[in-house]
Amino acid sequence: MIIKIILPDGRQLDYDTESRESLWQCLRRHDVLISGDCDGRGRCGQCRGTVSTQGQSPKERLLCRYYPTQSVAVTNFKLETQHTILTEGTLPHFEYRPAITKRILTAGEAQQASKQLGLSMDEQTHQWTGVYDQGEIFSIEPGDTTAWQYGLAVDIGTTTVVVTLVNLLTGEQLATKSQLNQQGQYGSDVLTRITHVMDSGLSGLDNLQTAVINTIKGLIQALRIQTGVNSQYIYQTVIAGNPVMLHLLLGINPEPLGRSPYQLVVKSSQIFQVHPEWDWSINSRARIITLPMISAYVGADVVCGAYVAELDQQDQAIVIDIGTNGEMILASNQHLLSCSTAAGPAFEGMNITSGMKASSGAIEEVRLTPEGAVLSVISNTEPIGLCGSGVLAALREGLRYQLINERGRIIDPQSLAPDDDRLQYIEVDATGKRRIRLAEGVYLSQQDIRQVQLAKGAIMAGIEQLLVEAQTTAEAIQHVYIAGQFGAHIDESSLIETGILPKAFKNKLHYLGNTSHSGAYMALMSLDVRQDLEALSQRIEPLELSLMDDYQRRFVRHTLFEKRG
């Protein structure tokens, strides 16, 4: 039976009651992008809305768990907001030597190349240009087109995708576009997306591959419109990302990455001609290159981070990508060791009561004072939630102000004197659970603190395990490089004072920005960099933390905070 879904703006959508589709799925299919980080599993609570049917009182429901049987009006739901995406990263000096080159052909060379490539030649054209990849011709073009040579540098993140159009002759980054990864509708983290494939089979894999292909497709189109570059002259695309993102782009089932023994299906760089069905606005013979990976959860993005930090030329240094997967690489005593920790999405404001992505209205910094909370809000608007840096800042202040004890518990307000100014911050909700009030409708809950404790425990245990395996100490580390979307926005004090990083790392932090994008750009502009990245990935030894005897014990210990007062 077909019923109607009535939206707040009066629009009506058709819904088939026999489709077995939740209201959340139906709305997202019609581009009503309701928030939801758990792939419609009823866990994150972000898709709450009010539903009203004829003859019944309005009710608040999880829309991912609501299957209407009669026409319904839906209101009071939260839409995804525009996300502030980090597109830039540190670029060390390197020599330009792109794989793509062009030169004018003689008549004989043009005829030979056309036969070799199976291309027809217009006899009226008297000048031809050959297009080469590492000295091997792969296309010919009428006239002199040597002035037009372009490529794309792509960073596929779990949350965001960044694409830059590059002039291969000069290295100029002509324009950059970014947006949220369309795979987000299937879950906010890599494990949820792997689970989507496990649950849905080949259709799930196709969903996720199509989502990321279409994300990149839209960004390429936007770049071409902005710059006016002819798609015929875009010859190469270099892509960096974590292992799950790259496997999904390649259409490879990621299940082996999600279950023991956690193995990559492909590890080295993959080079292939763009598939016509991807419908990207680039040359039909263009080469696509994915950069090399290390292990199931340490990917090309982290290899790029190590390369940008020039980690292989250092001793006693570490690169940490603080995000959902918490990847890190340690350089010590001529060895490079890597691991990945299941930090979860709390650092990106996900699975947090008042959590949101880094967008307008998100609190990004907090200072608690006797007179009240001093807030820094993106776009200087009224606060509506907490992004990742705001979550950590709120936690840091809760610890400093002794609202939170070493076990992560919010203190009992009844234990405080009536004139204690901390009382203004502690509230008890209708269920009797304590929370820290930061602004009207914006809180740090007990469950939020627990989410950060789990992330903190995972990252600190990973760092400690690397230090132990390398037979070094936190005090011996000279440089700490922070890479990734989240790390570039977080204050050092939040990382150190909450115990996410060791105290010995204080004043040693260097923020590198989006090194995944930097690495993709460098590999696009230099064959030498591509070769260096491949060689570097072979040198890095992965550690599987789940197989380490002491990891669980370290993890539990590091979920605790430092005792104060």
Side-chain angles (χ1 to χ4, degrees):
M1 181 175 68
I2 303 299
I3 61 173
K4 295 294 183 182
I5 307 299
I6 305 167
L7 301 177
D9 61 5
R11 281 186 295 158
Q12 296 188 14
L13 309 177
D14 288 338
Y15 176 88
D16 186 350
T17 58
E18 298 179 3
S19 67
R20 302 179 66 183
E21 182 179 56
S22 71
L23 184 52
W24 179 78
Q25 290 172 314
C26 172
L27 292 171
R28 290 193 68 100
R29 182 166 53 80
H30 285 90
D31 294 325
V32 182
L33 300 181
I34 293 180
S35 293
D37 293 329
C38 66
D39 191 25
R41 296 174 182 274
R43 297 173 182 169
C44 69
Q46 294 187 15
C47 66
R48 293 185 185 278
T50 302
V51 295
S52 305
T53 55
Q54 188 173 8
Q56 295 185 7
S57 301
K59 296 180 180 178
E60 185 180 82
R61 302 291 295 268
L62 286 178
L63 302 185
C64 70
R65 285 291 180 262
Y66 184 65
Y67 300 83
T69 57
Q70 63 184 98
S71 293
V72 59
V74 57
T75 57
N76 299 326
F77 49 79
K78 180 180 175 183
L79 292 173
E80 289 183 349
T81 51
Q82 186 64 38
H83 193 174
T84 302
I85 299 173
L86 180 66
T87 60
E88 297 180 353
T90 299
L91 276 177
H93 174 76
F94 70 103
E95 298 294 332
Y96 292 166
R97 193 169 75 90
I100 300 299
T101 55
K102 285 184 173 183
R103 70 175 179 86
I104 302 297
L105 302 176
T106 66
E109 288 175 328
Q111 289 180 348
Q112 182 179 358
S114 67
K115 292 178 181 178
Q116 175 186 333
L117 300 172
L119 300 174
S120 59
M121 292 180 62
D122 183 352
E123 294 181 359
Q124 303 301 314
T125 301
H126 301 292
Q127 190 176 45
W128 293 86
T129 299
V131 188
Y132 295 81
D133 181 2
Q134 299 186 62
E136 180 181 343
I137 194 166
F138 69 92
S139 187
I140 59 173
E141 298 167 347
D144 180 358
T145 65
T146 54
W148 301 312
Q149 301 178 39
Y150 303 98
L152 298 166
V154 181
D155 164 38
I156 303 178
T158 307
T159 305
T160 59
V161 178
V162 179
V163 182
T164 295
L165 180 61
V166 179
N167 184 326
L168 297 178
L169 289 174
T170 65
E172 180 185 0
Q173 299 184 41
L174 300 176
T176 297
K177 296 290 183 181
S178 59
Q179 71 172 65
L180 295 176
N181 189 334
Q182 292 179 27
Q183 290 180 351
Q185 63 186 295
Y186 302 106
S188 63
D189 56 65
V190 294
L191 289 177
T192 308
R193 294 182 200 174
I194 292 173
T195 301
H196 179 75
V197 176
M198 290 179 174
D199 292 345
S200 305
L202 290 178
S203 64
L205 177 59
D206 183 65
N207 290 340
L208 290 162
Q209 184 187 30
T210 300
V212 71
I213 286 170
N214 287 343
T215 303
I216 297 171
K217 172 184 173 181
L219 293 172
I220 294 172
Q221 289 174 336
L223 287 168
R224 286 192 53 249
I225 291 171
Q226 179 178 336
T227 62
V229 168
N230 189 325
S231 62
Q232 176 184 342
Y233 303 129
I234 302 175
Y235 301 106
Q236 192 171 85
T237 300
V238 176
I239 304 174
N242 67 54
V244 175
M245 293 303 100
L246 295 185
H247 278 63
L248 291 172
L249 172 74
L250 295 169
I252 298 172
N253 191 325
E255 287 188 42
L257 283 66
R259 55 166 60 116
S260 184
Y262 308 106
Q263 293 183 333
L264 292 167
V265 179
V266 295
K267 182 177 180 180
S268 60
S269 294
Q270 303 297 300
I271 305 173
F272 55 96
Q273 186 172 313
V274 65
H275 300 302
E277 61 269 22
W278 287 12
D279 194 27
W280 288 359
S281 298
I282 61 179
N283 188 285
S284 62
R285 292 173 174 263
R287 271 42 175 184
I288 310 296
I289 299 159
T290 60
L291 295 178
M293 298 169 269
I294 301 169
S295 65
Y297 288 102
V298 183
D301 50 349
V302 189
V303 175
C304 289
Y307 188 80
V308 169
E310 300 178 325
L311 203 63
D312 60 329
Q313 302 173 35
Q314 301 189 51
D315 190 37
Q316 306 304 328
I318 189 170
V319 170
I320 307 173
D321 189 332
I322 299 180
T324 304
N325 302 317
E327 306 101 327
M328 55 194 78
I329 301 177
L330 172 68
S332 178
N333 302 318
Q334 308 290 309
H335 293 289
L336 295 169
L337 299 175
S338 69
C339 72
S340 175
T341 63
F347 291 145
E348 296 178 351
M350 299 179 184
N351 292 348
I352 298 294
T353 306
S354 297
M356 61 184 293
K357 296 180 175 70
S359 54
S360 179
I363 297 172
E364 59 180 349
E365 182 55 66
V366 179
R367 188 72 178 174
L368 300 184
T369 73
E371 293 75 33
V374 180
L375 308 175
S376 175
V377 183
I378 296 176
S379 301
N380 294 316
T381 63
E382 287 297 313
I384 59 175
L386 287 162
C387 64
S389 59
V391 171
L392 276 197
L395 177 61
R396 179 199 69 215
E397 290 297 287
L399 291 166
R400 183 186 66 83
Y401 222 59
Q402 296 185 36
L403 297 170
I404 303 167
N405 67 22
E406 68 272 16
R407 293 188 173 275
R409 297 289 298 172
I410 299 173
I411 62 173
D412 185 351
Q414 295 183 1
S415 68
L416 301 177
D419 61 346
D420 194 316
D421 57 66
R422 288 178 290 178
L423 286 170
Q424 66 182 304
Y425 294 114
I426 304 176
E427 291 188 0
V428 179
D429 66 17
T431 65
K433 295 179 179 178
R434 300 167 198 161
R435 59 190 184 185
I436 297 174
R437 183 183 185 276
L438 300 169
E440 184 65 35
V442 183
Y443 306 93
L444 185 72
S445 73
Q446 188 64 67
Q447 181 59 31
D448 300 337
I449 296 170
R450 181 59 178 162
Q451 290 292 321
V452 179
Q453 283 181 277
L454 295 173
K456 160 184 153 40
I459 289 177
M460 273 295 291
I463 292 171
E464 190 172 282
Q465 196 75 52
L466 286 181
L467 294 172
V468 169
E469 293 295 322
Q471 298 182 358
T472 189
T473 64
E475 289 74 18
I477 299 301
Q478 299 175 21
H479 299 285
V480 180
Y481 299 98
I482 305 298
Q485 172 81 16
F486 174 76
H489 294 97
I490 190 67
D491 188 80
E492 178 181 287
S493 64
S494 292
L495 293 170
I496 302 294
E497 293 177 28
T498 57
I500 289 171
L501 297 181
K503 280 186 174 181
F505 285 1
K506 187 175 182 180
N507 299 324
K508 298 177 181 178
L509 270 60
H510 311 273
Y511 294 95
L512 300 180
N514 189 342
T515 53
S516 182
H517 177 266
S518 296
Y521 165 76
M522 293 172 71
L524 177 69
M525 286 303 304
S526 172
L527 265 173
D528 298 324
V529 170
R530 270 174 55 187
Q531 293 164 1
D532 288 347
L533 287 168
E534 194 73 51
L536 179 61
S537 71
Q538 299 296 324
R539 281 193 57 196
I540 299 170
E541 178 186 347
L543 297 181
E544 180 48 63
L545 296 179
S546 64
L547 302 178
M548 300 286 175
D549 292 338
D550 292 339
Y551 177 73
Q552 192 62 33
R553 176 180 58 81
R554 298 181 197 280
F555 168 76
V556 172
R557 175 162 51 85
H558 285 301
T559 60
L560 301 177
F561 297 110
E562 182 183 16
K563 190 171 184 178
R564 301 177 184 233

